[in-house]
Amino acid sequence: MGRRRKGLMSERLKYELAEELGVADLVRREGWGSVSSRDCGNLVRLAIERAERAMIQG
């Protein structure tokens, strides 16, 4: 039996990042499953960059 992992990013943050990447309309229409692997990877990259900036700024 697989365990479902609780999301680490808030829905708000995911949508903010999706807007930044230009895929928010696709997510609203078809859901997160319709986002390409490349765009999902870019979304994670943006989230990491934001977290790193937040850590540096204190």
Side-chain angles (χ1 to χ4, degrees):
M1 262 191 281
R3 253 189 291 162
R4 186 171 180 131
R5 297 179 88 182
K6 185 173 181 168
L8 298 176
M9 284 194 278
S10 70
E11 286 299 308
R12 180 178 169 197
L13 176 59
K14 286 193 275 189
Y15 278 101
E16 281 180 30
L17 297 172
E19 286 282 349
E20 196 170 326
L21 287 174
V23 298
D25 288 336
L26 177 64
V27 172
R28 286 187 197 99
R29 277 193 324 269
E30 301 178 27
W32 288 104
S34 61
V35 179
S36 72
S37 295
R38 174 175 283 171
D39 284 335
C40 285
N42 288 335
L43 190 137
V44 171
R45 181 183 50 80
L46 285 174
I48 291 169
E49 287 173 1
R50 280 192 182 190
E52 287 175 341
R53 280 196 304 266
M55 287 174 53
I56 290 169
Q57 294 172 353

